[in-house]
Amino acid sequence: MYTPSLFQNDDLKAQHAVIRRHPFGLLITPHGGELFTTHLPFHLDPARGAQGTLEAHLARVNPHCAALEAGAASLVVFKGPDGYVSPRWYAEPAMNVPTWNYVAVHVHGRPVTTEDPATLLEYIGRLTDEHEAYIERPWRIAEAQAHAKRLLPQILGFELPIQKLEGKFKLSQNRSAADRAGVLREFAKSRDSGIQEMLELMRGLYREDGSVR
């Protein structure tokens, strides 16, 4: 991923935070002269491996499975918050053009597949528990254990030990304090959850006047 040094973020905790908050990633695997892409929810285990390990599963009929079973090098793209930035918000609008602030994390690794029923149930259970945690009466896979077991032959599980992480956090680092203050001010007016998340990240870097913390 092209990442100017100003926007590069190598902080493992920050990268993991993006993956946890935006776990629906795009899996990309080149194999046999083709490029396979699948959108999947991932579970991140930060304690396994130096940079963590991703877990996921996909439909067995998906042709992407053959590339994963071959252990082909893969990329998972996690897209964080993003938002349009108008030149009108800058100190000198006539001397600037529009841009876009955004956050992205790229994960590189080689998949290790599994069809073991017990392991697949663990993958599904961890992923489900993670997202059911916010529901008033969390559902547990044990409630449908028999049905889940019947479905297991129809999926392929895999884990992706993380070999390389790339973090790009484009948060107006290349702008003046006055320009950043304008962006902060305008983002604060938005009710969009993504813009509010970006505002939260920017406020971690800058004071309200745009100066660096």
Side-chain angles (χ1 to χ4, degrees):
M1 174 168 56
Y2 168 66
T3 308
S5 58
L6 274 176
F7 308 141
Q8 185 173 329
N9 190 325
D10 295 325
D11 182 83
L12 186 61
K13 289 184 178 180
Q15 294 168 337
H16 281 183
V18 172
I19 295 172
R20 285 199 188 92
R21 197 159 183 174
H22 302 274
F24 196 69
L26 174 62
L27 175 68
I28 304 168
T29 310
H31 180 65
E34 295 188 60
L35 189 64
F36 297 91
T37 59
T38 303
H39 298 267
L40 293 171
F42 287 84
H43 171 73
L44 169 66
D45 184 343
R48 293 177 55 203
Q51 300 184 84
T53 297
L54 295 178
E55 296 174 353
H57 63 279
L58 69 168
R60 200 68 187 80
V61 296
N62 188 332
H64 202 147
C65 289
L68 299 179
E69 289 177 309
S74 298
L75 166 69
V76 185
V77 176
F78 293 98
K79 178 184 169 297
D82 68 277
Y84 174 80
V85 178
S86 170
R88 184 67 64 199
W89 304 345
Y90 291 158
E92 296 184 27
M95 299 298 293
N96 288 284
V97 294
T99 189
W100 212 279
N101 278 4
Y102 62 94
V103 172
V105 172
H106 288 192
V107 176
H108 300 260
R110 289 187 177 273
V112 179
T113 60
T114 182
E115 295 179 283
D116 176 64
T119 303
L120 289 175
L121 285 173
E122 288 177 2
Y123 285 1
I124 298 169
R126 282 192 284 268
L127 183 64
T128 303
D129 290 347
E130 181 178 357
H131 297 288
E132 288 282 338
Y134 307 99
I135 295 176
E136 185 176 350
R137 294 176 56 237
W139 181 88
R140 297 286 182 260
I141 195 170
E143 297 178 37
Q145 193 85 352
H147 180 61
K149 285 183 177 180
R150 286 195 294 271
L151 295 176
L152 292 180
Q154 300 177 35
I155 65 173
L156 177 71
F158 69 96
E159 60 183 45
L160 193 78
I162 299 174
Q163 297 176 342
K164 179 183 176 183
L165 273 167
E166 298 176 285
K168 187 172 185 178
F169 290 54
K170 185 177 180 292
L171 303 172
S172 299
Q173 295 96 322
N174 59 328
R175 305 305 310 185
S176 67
D179 289 348
R180 289 195 292 259
V183 175
L184 288 165
R185 182 177 59 252
E186 296 301 322
F187 277 176
K189 297 176 182 178
S190 175
R191 295 183 180 180
D192 181 85
S193 60
I195 296 297
Q196 287 302 305
E197 183 183 350
M198 175 157 296
L199 180 62
E200 175 188 332
L201 291 171
M202 291 185 69
R203 282 175 170 167
L205 297 177
Y206 315 121
R207 301 179 182 89
E208 292 303 313
D209 64 359
S211 60
V212 177
R213 290 189 181 279

